[in-house]
Amino acid sequence: MNRRAFGMGALAMLSLSACASASPRFLSYSGPEVTSLVVNKGARKLYLMHHDQVLKEYKVDLGFSPNGTKGARGDGRTPEGTYVIDRRNPRSQFHLSIGISYPNAQDIAAARAAGVDPGGDIFIHGQPNKRKDRKRARKTDDWTAGCIAVKNEEIEEIYAMVKDGTTITLRP
């Protein structure tokens, strides 16, 4: 094999390993069960709970219009109420995401009464994958469209610790 072919092959392998390091890490967790999540919107905190004990606490960014509960698609608000973690997306446009079961029956009824679409696709997620979106997110707190955002390393922990079906309560 000539040197040029060897060098090109080595370069290709290094670039592939660099791509792999940018993908999400799937951690494992074997500690106490996370029995619920609590978001205190006013304090900008997410708590992972084992019954009445706080296992982990995270600073969060919320929807770009953080006061009040979500009422309609596009209002930029993070919902308030009790929901469950109902899905996960390892191929999210953000660095991992776990879904929240918004809207629930009460949210749908309130939106119907107001003549609006309640919206949906509320997640806890990491930072945007696209560089231009990351710059926007760094410039301000409360930059999401209604989701709960944490740092990438933190969503990796949360993704490992929280199971689908876990209750999440979002408080003002």
Side-chain angles (χ1 to χ4, degrees), residues 1-170:
M1 177 185 299
N2 70 32
R3 287 183 192 202
R4 183 172 186 178
F6 178 77
M8 295 299 281
L11 183 61
M13 292 302 288
L14 285 173
S15 62
L16 284 175
S17 66
C19 291
S21 66
S23 65
R25 295 181 307 163
F26 293 101
L27 305 176
S28 60
Y29 175 72
S30 60
E33 176 186 12
V34 175
T35 56
S36 66
L37 293 86
V38 176
V39 174
N40 181 326
K41 289 173 52 177
R44 304 298 190 272
K45 296 285 185 175
L46 165 65
Y47 304 95
L48 303 189
M49 307 294 296
H50 176 71
H51 302 294
D52 60 356
Q53 176 189 2
V54 175
L55 296 174
K56 293 289 260 183
E57 175 183 319
Y58 304 95
K59 180 192 174 301
V60 298
D61 292 330
L62 303 171
F64 60 81
S65 183
N67 297 324
T69 190
K70 186 161 200 61
R73 179 176 303 282
D75 66 6
R77 293 188 176 138
T78 301
E80 296 170 2
T82 300
Y83 305 93
V84 296
I85 300 302
D86 65 352
R87 62 201 182 279
R88 47 195 64 236
N89 185 357
R91 291 180 176 77
S92 170
Q93 64 183 353
F94 301 93
H95 186 80
L96 297 176
S97 62
I98 58 174
I100 298 172
S101 64
Y102 175 87
N104 62 24
Q106 293 168 302
D107 300 317
I108 293 168
R112 274 196 194 132
V116 297
D117 177 348
D121 286 336
I122 302 297
F123 288 85
I124 301 170
H125 60 68
Q127 300 301 299
N129 290 329
K130 292 182 181 175
R131 180 172 292 177
K132 69 179 175 93
D133 295 334
R134 278 194 305 266
K135 286 180 183 178
R136 181 178 53 97
R138 273 189 293 234
K139 289 181 182 177
T140 181
D141 291 339
D142 301 330
W143 55 270
T144 77
C147 295
I148 298 139
V150 294
K151 294 177 182 174
N152 289 348
E153 303 79 31
E154 295 169 341
I155 191 60
E156 290 173 3
E157 289 178 353
I158 295 165
Y159 201 90
M161 293 175 74
V162 176
K163 296 178 181 170
D164 289 357
T166 305
T167 301
I168 179 168
T169 302
L170 296 104

